[in-house]
Amino acid sequence: MSTPNSTFSLEGRGLKLDTEDDARSHTQDLSSTKTYTLISLSGNTLGAPACTSLAPLLSAQTSLTSINLADIFTSRLLSEIPPALTSLLTSLLPLQNLTTIDLSDNAFGLKTQAPLVDFLRQHIPLQHLILNNNGLGPEAGTHIATALSTLADRKAEARINSGHNATKSTHIPHLETIVCGRNRLETGSMAAWAQTFQKHPHVKTVKMVQNGIRQPGICTLLLEGLKQCEELEVLDLQDNTFTHVGAEALSSVLPLWPKLRELGVGDSLLGRKRGMGMLCDALSKGQNKELRVLRLQYNEIDSRGVGRLLKVVEEGKLPFLRRVELNGNKFAEEDEGVERLRTLLEGRRDEAEEGDGEEYGLDEFSDLEEEDSDGEEEEEEAAEAEEIDSEAEDKKEDEKEKARIAEGTFRDAEEEEGRNVSQKQDPEVDVLAEKMGKTEMI
């Protein structure tokens, strides 16, 4: 664990460091101490000259295992970011203990992603990558994914070159964490991401929420990529579009992940009947016994869907499940099945280690919808049939989108990168980043 004297932090101070002198005035400790394991510069804004000054100080930190560079370019011009980022990331390449990097909340569109792509291709020690809310878009997202695929090849080559020396090979960790949420990756970049996961089959945590990925992209990601990741422990794909098509793909790969502990598919249009039924059928196979947390909010799940999940839990197929999030669905809070599920999950708190600090039971129901009447069900079934008919057309559109990426004919890059990266922080990603930062990786 990091201790106070192994951490250098300017986090959240709102400093505007434009010049080399500005940087020097706040980094004296980096000059005098070369044994930091964790550095955080997050929540300040750094100009290119300041980054030039920081570079040699960072490259001297040979014990560094984790660096937080989230939200460091607020108010900077797009033209300022590439040289600043190049100085910082180039200085980190020699650091063989640096396994964790957080670059969330920075604008990395087509005109600013090149230094990051170069770094990701080369930094063989990389184990945990956090890129949340960077405004990538599908084309820049494809470049990032391709860079990570190249990294896999270089890791493999480095292991071979180590002569299978056990001591040396421990310094070439597998890529275990990929967080790339709120980045507009869309369906068009999913083929590249699927290849990334094929080449990094030891990944344990994947969070790709709110990326505008539609059904064909979800299927590509799951069936061609994440299917290979049998060590997967955390998967969060919330706020993308599954429908029953994505649910079918998910149900086919779920049994392949025996170590899965958290699954997030909330706000994904799983569907009241077919999608939830497929998910419960997959869980009923008993291959996901390690599952602890299931996030299913805003999926039009009714009381029957909850009942199917309850049956899976009562039959002992999910013995460690402790938390299910169901807000925003279509059932009454006092429904018998809901209450039985809540009671069962909360009862597991008593069986857990004292003071484990985890949440048990169901989430708060602040936004439930009324369950559909028979007439509304018929309308929904008709709409679902219409949805099936339209999926072929959607697939054609997605293929066109992939072609536009390949031909480089996306909308003008100036327009894309002119958008501001949202300043809204993602608390779940922040918690994950903090955990990664506090843990020294070997």
Side-chain angles (χ1 to χ4, degrees), residues 149-161:
S149 292
T150 301
L151 176 66
D153 295 336
R154 292 194 172 181
K155 282 177 178 279
E157 182 180 356
R159 291 188 186 101
I160 293 173
N161 291 339

Side-chain angles (χ1 to χ4, degrees), residues 276-347:
M276 187 61 176
M278 291 173 186
L279 177 62
C280 290
D281 286 345
L283 293 174
S284 70
K285 294 178 180 178
Q287 301 300 310
N288 304 106
K289 292 185 182 298
E290 295 297 320
L291 192 65
R292 265 74 168 169
V293 178
L294 185 55
R295 296 188 170 93
L296 295 168
Q297 313 96 309
Y298 296 95
N299 273 313
E300 298 188 339
I301 298 168
D302 64 8
S303 60
R304 287 167 292 186
V306 176
R308 295 192 68 169
L309 178 59
L310 173 64
K311 185 174 185 290
V312 174
V313 179
E314 288 183 330
E315 289 178 349
K317 306 297 185 180
L318 300 172
F320 297 109
L321 187 68
R322 58 173 172 78
R323 176 78 170 176
V324 177
E325 297 181 0
L326 287 167
N327 187 39
N329 285 297
K330 293 186 174 183
F331 52 78
E333 185 169 356
E334 63 275 11
D335 178 82
E336 180 184 354
V338 173
E339 285 303 313
R340 284 168 58 190
L341 182 60
R342 185 197 306 277
T343 300
L344 193 159
L345 296 178
E346 290 180 351

